[in-house]
Each structure stands twice: as structure tokens, then as C-alpha cells.
Amino acid sequence: MGRSSVLTITAVSCILFGSAAWQLNSHYSSAQAAQPQSQAQPPAPQLQPVSDTVSTSTKPATNPAQQLTAAPGTELYTAKRGEAIPTIARRYLGKTSYLTSSQLADAIRAANHKSDASNILKANEQVIIPGILAAPITEKTIPVPRDFEVRAIYLTGVMAASDHGLRIIRHWREVGGNAVVFDIKDSDGSVNIPFEHPLLGQHKVYIHDVPKLVRFLHSQNMHAIARIAIFRDERMVVEHPDLAVHSRKTGQPWRENGKLVWTDPSNPQVQDYNIALAKHVAQLGADEIQFDYVRFPAEGDQKDAAFVFQKDQPAAPDASTAAVPVSDVIPTAAQSAGGGTLRQPPAQQQSTGSPRTSKSARHADAKPTTPQRTDVITAFLKKAYAELHPTGVLLSLDVFGVMAWQRQVDLSHTGQDIVGMAHYCDVLSPMIYPSHFFGMDNIPHPGDEPAHFIGESMQRFEQITHPDGNLATGVVIRPWLQAFRWRTKTYSPEYIKIQVETARAKGGIGFLFWNAANDYSKPYEAMPEMKAANFKPVPDSKDASKNNPRYFRGDELPAATIKASLVPGN
């Protein structure tokens, strides 16, 4: 075969092979086009950066579109495995606007769409923490005149900072109350708030944020009264025995009926510590500072008790062998609930003379040439008032109800000279619980005679502080009233009403209800009834009118001031 033949055969073969390939490809393309789109092959996987790969021991990365973001006023928290919402709430409470950790825990559940029973979180689970504050809350005192009509209940420090306490406050407001007394320092010396002082050291805190609590009270249109028990301070005596009252016989801390509870009221360190605490609370926004136990110890071996102010004085004979009556010692929680005994034994006493003729033996006798306990208490109050008055707070003092009788033994032991004290405070609050007037006026069951003992006590206090109708001191008498059933068979809403009506009729302005267990069920019932009957005519009386309400005026805090105090940044 020649060269030309070979070339011809090769060319024809190439043409035939190309034609066959074209037909085959055309057939395959047609088949592919005939298949539905859902059968298309997925794209090839792309390589991920090393930082985006996930090991089998960690949680896969969350889709960016599903990431939680912290809105203004919130914060994101990543939980550890098994961590509980209440634990997180306690940790964050101080950074939020919530008053209690349980309130914050409920808010966390709501913000994260969890059920009320939800508690345990998963590892790396992110949760939103609501109510985050940009800065700590600061609150200002709302100044009121000293004759502002306070209608208050008392709460322990533990109760005031609890959910139940907040419910009590709201309920009291609903029925017509306008103020709350809450413990800053109780009579065992325990301080319930954060406070740094060389004499205090570490202590259990219950009210973690005073400005926050005061702001809550202000938001409820309520007057905030901070109670401080002054010289009865067991904690201080135990930790600093040198600040206690001392025994003349042994030189050791003196005991009142076997108990180590009294600091020396004349010791400058003790005085300065209490004034510093009061001033601190005033600067946190409280509207009123209330001093309790502003006195010397009234029980025990008085001849054996030695005080700093007596350092250069000879031992003075005891004014009387009788103990000072403790007719109005504040009862314990058990007593308020209807049982128990007094912490101190009562002494029998009789009222002598009418309030308009009875005079203090101290003022009637020649004035002693050496300082007395009354001088110490009055001087302390003068110093405290000078420190507190410029802050805008009111200063009120709790005093024994029996001081209205102005007996020499009472004055010499307690140091509570009512006239002297009245010059350095805005309000006097005598503790005139009827059940505590043991043996007085030949009445065997004083607890069942509230009208008599409230009326007699108030009349005497008014006469002492406002003789002949003159506002000699300008002080307001605002009594502590009985809100517990101890030693009375007649405790009821009517019992509450009798006390309030009698105190007002005898010159009192406002009132404070005491119950150590913080049970105010009877005042809750009585308040609406008193409000409804306030301006109704009283049989055989011409006193009921719009200008002279039967029970209380109904004073309220100035609305504009409250609104201003709640504006952020104020």
C-alpha cells in the first residue's frame, strides 16, 4: 500500500471516530438535562480555617445569627455546668436594681424565657442578666418638718431585706401607712449594713444596699426611719472589753443582772462610734435617724458600776435601793407573739400626783456639783445633733414611758432627762405599751386598759415638754404603741384604734407600731377602719371635723420631691 493510501485510510478513521464521539456526548447531555433539579449533586465541601474547627470535646460554634446580645441595662453570663440561677442572682445582686436575690432570679428566668421552676443551667449556656446598673444607686434624704405625721411599723434588719419584708411594706402602704422603721444596729450590737470602722471589724450584713432600700421606700411614698440602738451593745462589750461599764469591785466588765451587754455611755470612743454610724446612714439617704437605748443601764448593782465620767469622782451612794421600773422594756419576738417573759424583772410602781403638779425631783432639789448621768446623755445628744442636723435628717429618740413620771430614781439611773433631751432632737418617742405598766395606778391588768395608760403617759409627756401649752422645746411627741398581744386579753383592731385615738387626743403627732415578730395583722385591719371613720361625728363630742380628724391627718411626702429623688443621676 502506498503512502497516499495510508493517509487516506487514517483520515477517514479519524472522521468516523469523531462522529461517534459527538453522538455519544450528545446523548449523555440529553439524559442529564432530562433529570429533575432536586437530583443535582451537592457542591464540594470547603476547607475551614483552623480557628473554626471544633474538637469532639467542646460545644459546636453557635450560629452567628443565634448569638445572644446584651441590650442596654443587661449583661451576658456564660454558665458553668450545673450552675444554678439563684447562685448567679446572689452574685449579681449588687450590680442590679433588684432588692433581693430571689427577685433577680425571677427576672433572670423571665428574661431568658425559662419556667418558674428552672434553676440548673447547661455548660456554656449564656443567660441574660437584667437590671444592670451603670453606677451604684445614690439616694437623697427627703426633708420633712418635725411635725410630719408619721404612721409607721417596725422591721428587723433581717426582715427589711427580705421578700416577705417587701410584702409587709407594700401592704402597710396599701392600708394607709407612710413610714417604716428598720434596724441598722440592734440592741445586741449587730450592725446590719456594710460599715467600716476600727471598732466593728467583720460582721454579718443583711441590708446590703441602704440607698437601694431607701429608694424603694421613697418609690412607695414612704418615710425611711433608720433605728440605731446606741449604748446597749453586747458585740462591742465582748470584742472590746475596755469600752464596757466596769465593776468597782473587780475592775472587770460590769454585768447587768449577770449579762455583759452595756458599753460605757460616757466613753468618747463609744459615743464617736455611734455618731459615725448614724452620720453614715444619714448620708445614704435615710430620712430620719432614730436612737434607741440612749441611756445608762437601769438594772443590776448600780453601786458597783463605774463609768469614765466618774473617774475623778468618789463613789456616789445609790439614789435608791429599788431598781428602775422597766415597764416599757421592748419585748422579745415570743412576747410579741403572746408568750414569754420580760428580759428584765419588773418593779412595782405607783403614780403620784397629777401631771400638772408633779415635778422632777432632780429639778426641785439643789443641782449636784459633780456631773450626773443626765449630763452625759444630754451632752452626747448635743454632739450627735450637731453632726446629724446639717444632713437634713430628723433625729428621734426612744425613751422609757415611765420617764413621764419624772421620779428621781428613774432620772439618776437612766440619765434620761426628758427636758434636756428634748432640746437636742426633733421627736421624742416614748414606749408606752399598756401591758408594760406593771402595778401602776392600782390597775391589776394594765394591758387591758389602753385608754388609761396611753392617755396618762401622753398627758404627762406633753406637760413636761410643753408646759402651759407653750412650745418650750418645739419637740414632737410621737409614741410607740402596742401591736402585740402580750399580757392582754383584749388585743384586737379595736385595741389598736383606742391607742391611736387616745394618743392623738392627748397631743401626739403620728405613731409607731412595735411588734418584734413583725406581725401587723391587727393594724392592717384597723387602719382602713380608722381612715373611714376619721371625719365622722363622734357621739357626745364636737371635736370631729375636717380640721380635727379623729385618728390621723393623713400626711404624705411631697410628690414632687419623691419624683425628683427617683430620677437617675439625682
Side-chain angles (χ1 to χ4, degrees), residues 367-422:
K367 184 175 177 65
T369 56
T370 56
Q372 302 297 302
R373 296 185 186 188
T374 50
D375 300 314
V376 171
I377 296 299
T378 302
F380 163 72
L381 290 173
K382 182 178 181 180
K383 181 166 62 173
Y385 196 53
E387 292 282 338
L388 293 171
H389 188 65
T391 67
V393 298
L394 295 180
L395 177 61
S396 57
L397 310 176
D398 296 345
V399 296
F400 274 165
V402 75
M403 299 313 297
W405 274 259
Q406 293 284 278
R407 301 186 313 170
Q408 176 60 36
V409 62
D410 301 337
L411 288 161
S412 64
H413 284 193
T414 66
Q416 289 188 336
D417 177 6
I418 298 302
V419 175
M421 297 172 77

Side-chain angles (χ1 to χ4, degrees), residues 6 137 216 253 264 345 351 399 401 449 519:
V6 171
I137 287 176
F216 168 72
D264 185 344
S351 60
V399 296
E449 299 290 342
D519 175 5

